[in-house]
Amino acid sequence: MDLAFLRPLYEHPGPWASVYFGTSQHTESTPHERSLTAQAASRQLADQGADEATCQAVRSALEELRHSTEPHGRALFATGGEVVLDPALATPPPGGLSVTWSALPHTAPLLDLLGEDPVCVVAYVDRRGADFELRSALGSREAGSVTGRQWPLHRTSTVDWSERHFQLRVENTWEHNAAEIADALAVCQEETRADLLILVGNDRERRAVRERLPQRLQDRTMEAPHGAESRLLDEDVERIRAEHVRRRAAEDLERFMAARAPDADGNVGAVEGVPAVIEAAREHRIDELLIIPEGPDTHREVWVGEAPDQLAVRRTDTKTLGEPRPWSARADDALLRSVIASGAPALSLSPAVPEAGPQTAPVGGLGALLRWTEPPQTRS
């Protein structure tokens, strides 16, 4: 997941109020209940040591949601009396409300609650061309179309060898149209920056288009066994998206499992556990951070400084990093700040772990694929 949108959080010194607020339940008494929840969140922040201005900013922001019809909820990150960021959630937060006052914003739950990029392009494909539809959290809209050659499109039913030339022309028309659709779909994906492409149509047409898509789009493409005239429902798209997320998490977990084993030269391309991942982050070597948000070590205390690469397992270690007055922070939040600053992505492995089994997961719920390999180190 690309978390670059969180960078504004790290332009402020903190400490931070991090609030996850669910809006999935809606009844006649909802506005009153949400007002009470807003008051409760403000009180909890005050009890944890938050300043009055920040408590009031959070309460006001939550009060504004009392009539909201958002399907799931919001996260609010506030400091110095100001709500800096309030992204909408794709999944309701467990328990409906979570409140934290800490040195760094508590961003780790976003890996599961935001979901993957909701933008996808649905391509309704037939032999004549395709219609494109853009689906996102904001709804759906037309995203263009492509029309290929219109003749000849159908085979004849004869087995007479005299028809062979006509049949070859039909094949050529199909292949030409599939190539045009694939080219247009690749352009549409680049323009919309869609994370997922969904091909809808008969088996042969879907396959022909997919085979001609650029290699960079192959792992972003899913297929739906519907006729091209049948429009996908929101629940169809959500099911396909969920399968895409699970598959990508499983692929990353497989890559991690392969990379953590030493190669023929004794090098490893992945590390796991808080000490090793902290060291990799400090050295700017994380290519992708892998987290199980509910892992046993994600909340482990580490020490951080003002710079994203100033982090250590022990407080005394921060002196060598040039930070005389370090703060304590959760390991997952400190590592997320570090990879966001370096431009590396982060991924929740939660969708893949139930199927693969916990024994395959990173130790403590924290792991990383590395930008370059290093000889394995003996654990103490």
Side-chain angles (χ1 to χ4, degrees):
M1 178 182 292
D2 183 0
L3 298 174
F5 74 96
L6 293 177
R7 284 178 182 166
L9 297 182
Y10 305 111
E11 297 171 0
H12 300 258
W16 286 88
S18 304
V19 179
Y20 293 85
F21 182 73
T23 58
S24 56
Q25 296 181 350
H26 197 88
T27 65
E28 291 184 1
S29 59
T30 292
H32 177 64
E33 291 174 352
R34 290 184 180 170
S35 292
L36 293 178
T37 302
Q39 296 174 30
S42 179
R43 284 196 304 270
Q44 289 181 42
L45 284 173
D47 291 342
Q48 294 179 41
D51 59 276
E52 184 177 350
T54 300
C55 292
Q56 184 56 47
V58 168
R59 178 173 174 174
S60 298
L62 294 179
E63 286 279 6
E64 292 176 4
L65 295 174
R66 65 185 183 276
H67 295 292
S68 172
T69 57
E70 288 187 359
H72 304 299
R74 281 191 175 271
L76 283 80
F77 301 98
T79 186
E82 174 190 6
V83 175
V84 178
L85 204 64
D86 62 339
L89 304 178
T91 302
L97 178 68
S98 172
V99 178
T100 306
W101 178 250
S102 54
L104 295 179
H106 183 34
T107 54
L110 292 176
L111 293 179
D112 280 339
L113 299 180
L114 280 183
E116 289 285 316
D117 185 351
V119 178
C120 65
V121 173
V122 183
Y124 298 97
V125 177
D126 61 26
R127 296 175 184 175
R128 299 176 184 273
D131 295 322
F132 302 149
E133 182 182 31
L134 188 68
R135 295 286 189 102
S136 72
L138 301 178
S140 63
R141 64 175 176 83
E142 293 183 1
S145 63
V146 59
T147 302
R149 294 175 181 170
Q150 301 302 296
W151 187 89
L153 287 171
H154 301 285
R155 294 171 178 267
T156 65
S157 58
T158 180
V159 294
D160 190 337
W161 285 107
S162 65
E163 295 294 332
R164 183 177 179 185
H165 179 65
F166 179 80
Q167 305 287 27
L168 289 174
R169 292 184 64 186
V170 171
E171 292 285 350
N172 290 339
T173 299
W174 289 357
E175 292 177 2
H176 174 273
N177 289 355
E180 283 204 0
I181 294 169
D183 289 345
L185 186 54
V187 171
C188 183
Q189 184 278 329
E190 188 171 351
E191 291 177 347
T192 61
R193 301 183 68 181
D195 183 68
L196 176 63
L197 304 178
I198 303 176
L199 301 178
V200 181
N202 294 328
D203 290 347
R204 177 163 183 162
E205 283 80 4
R206 294 199 316 265
R207 243 186 351 261
V209 172
R210 183 165 191 170
E211 288 172 355
R212 290 163 175 81
L213 285 171
Q215 187 60 40
R216 65 180 178 84
L217 297 180
Q218 291 297 327
D219 65 348
R220 294 175 181 242
T221 303
M222 301 285 284
E223 299 181 33
H226 291 251
E229 300 301 320
S230 175
R231 286 309 192 245
L232 289 188
L233 301 176
D234 289 342
E235 50 265 37
D236 294 325
V237 175
E238 186 56 37
R239 175 183 53 78
I240 294 170
R241 283 189 62 252
E243 171 58 23
H244 173 67
V245 170
R246 187 207 61 77
R247 187 184 69 180
R248 289 188 64 177
E251 289 172 352
D252 274 44
L253 180 57
E254 186 175 340
R255 284 175 57 212
F256 171 79
M257 291 168 58
R260 68 182 175 182
D263 62 18
D265 297 322
N267 298 319
V268 293
V271 292
E272 59 188 322
V274 172
V277 180
I278 288 285
E279 182 179 357
R282 198 164 52 230
E283 296 174 350
H284 306 275
R285 299 181 58 232
I286 293 181
D287 189 55
E288 183 173 20
L289 180 65
L290 305 175
I291 296 181
I292 303 173
E294 298 304 318
D297 285 350
T298 55
H299 63 278
R300 179 173 166 178
E301 182 184 61
V302 299
W303 295 88
V304 300
E306 291 186 8
D309 58 358
Q310 289 180 314
L311 64 172
V313 175
R314 292 178 293 272
R315 180 171 186 167
T316 53
D317 292 342
T318 58
K319 293 180 180 179
T320 61
L321 305 177
E323 179 53 66
R325 292 185 298 275
W327 323 303
S328 66
R330 289 175 54 118
D332 51 5
D333 293 332
L335 287 165
L336 279 170
R337 180 181 70 151
S338 179
V339 298
I340 289 169
S342 69
L347 178 76
S348 169
L349 292 178
S350 297
V353 170
E355 184 175 317
Q359 69 278 5
T360 64
V363 171
L366 292 168
L369 291 162
L370 302 178
R371 286 178 173 162
W372 65 86
T373 58
E374 65 174 358
Q377 298 178 355
T378 303
R379 295 180 181 272
S380 58

